[in-house]
Amino acid sequence: MEGKVLVAYGSTNGSTAEIADHIAEVLAKEGLDADVRPAPEVADLASYGAVVLGGGLYGGRWQRDARRFARRHRKALAERPVWLFSSGPLDPSASERDIPPAPGVRRVMNRIGPRGHATFGGRLEGDVKGRIARMIVNSGKGGDFRDFEQIGAWATMVARDLEVPEG
């Protein structure tokens, strides 16, 4: 694969950003040049040979910055290998079984044809943004449900897939 791998993300409370950082670290360990950036900061995909795009799930919807990124770069994403990830379930379900993409993520998938998608557990704790998020945390239903071993295994699969020539 030529060019860097962009790991772009939409994150409101920082959990998805930490997942994106971990994915980029694993890709680098696998010998790829990975660049991790918040989705709104990416103006052009010309220097990237592949993209991993992630967004947090809020009320079943993909985070706004991830949705906007996918829409703004739709043509460029359709021309290169792309993987999508979501973070959000505030329970261990994402570590126990494959969770299908949320409807909005499915629409993005239909438009750009990614090579794959994964849903990882989310984190919602501490001083969070948003009234509903604060209500969840204050009710004791928050927590950190991210499984970094699972995330690392998925990132390793992405790296290995990039090593295989297309065709």
Side-chain angles (χ1 to χ4, degrees):
M1 184 206 74
E2 291 185 31
K4 293 188 247 183
V5 179
L6 171 65
V7 182
Y9 63 87
S11 185
T12 300
N13 288 299
S15 173
T16 305
E18 292 170 358
I19 291 172
D21 286 337
H22 187 66
I23 290 169
E25 289 170 12
V26 171
L27 294 175
K29 285 180 188 171
E30 292 292 321
L32 297 168
D33 187 3
D35 185 12
V36 62
R37 310 249 322 264
E41 292 182 7
V42 180
D44 184 25
L45 299 184
S47 64
Y48 298 105
V51 176
V52 176
L53 173 61
L57 293 170
Y58 299 92
R61 295 188 70 197
W62 220 24
Q63 203 270 357
R64 181 184 65 212
D65 293 336
R67 290 192 321 262
R68 287 179 175 172
F69 179 94
R71 188 172 44 249
R72 186 172 62 248
H73 298 289
R74 179 175 50 223
K75 288 181 184 176
L77 290 169
E79 297 170 349
R80 55 191 34 83
V82 175
W83 289 263
L84 305 176
F85 73 90
S86 302
S87 67
L90 295 176
D91 60 33
S93 61
S95 294
E96 299 168 351
R97 67 184 190 290
D98 286 338
I99 296 177
V105 178
R106 173 65 61 199
R107 283 190 294 279
V108 169
M109 293 174 74
N110 290 339
R111 288 183 190 120
I112 65 173
R115 290 190 180 183
H117 172 271
T119 299
F120 304 119
R123 176 182 59 87
L124 197 60
E125 54 190 1
D127 187 25
V128 296
K129 297 175 187 171
R131 183 179 58 82
I132 293 173
R134 282 191 299 278
M135 286 174 36
I136 291 169
V137 170
N138 292 338
S139 73
K141 295 183 179 174
D144 190 344
F145 297 93
R146 297 170 299 174
D147 179 341
F148 283 96
E149 189 173 308
Q150 175 195 29
I151 295 163
W154 183 80
T156 299
M157 179 275 309
V158 168
R160 302 239 165 98
D161 196 15
L162 283 168
E163 293 172 0
V164 177
E166 291 185 60

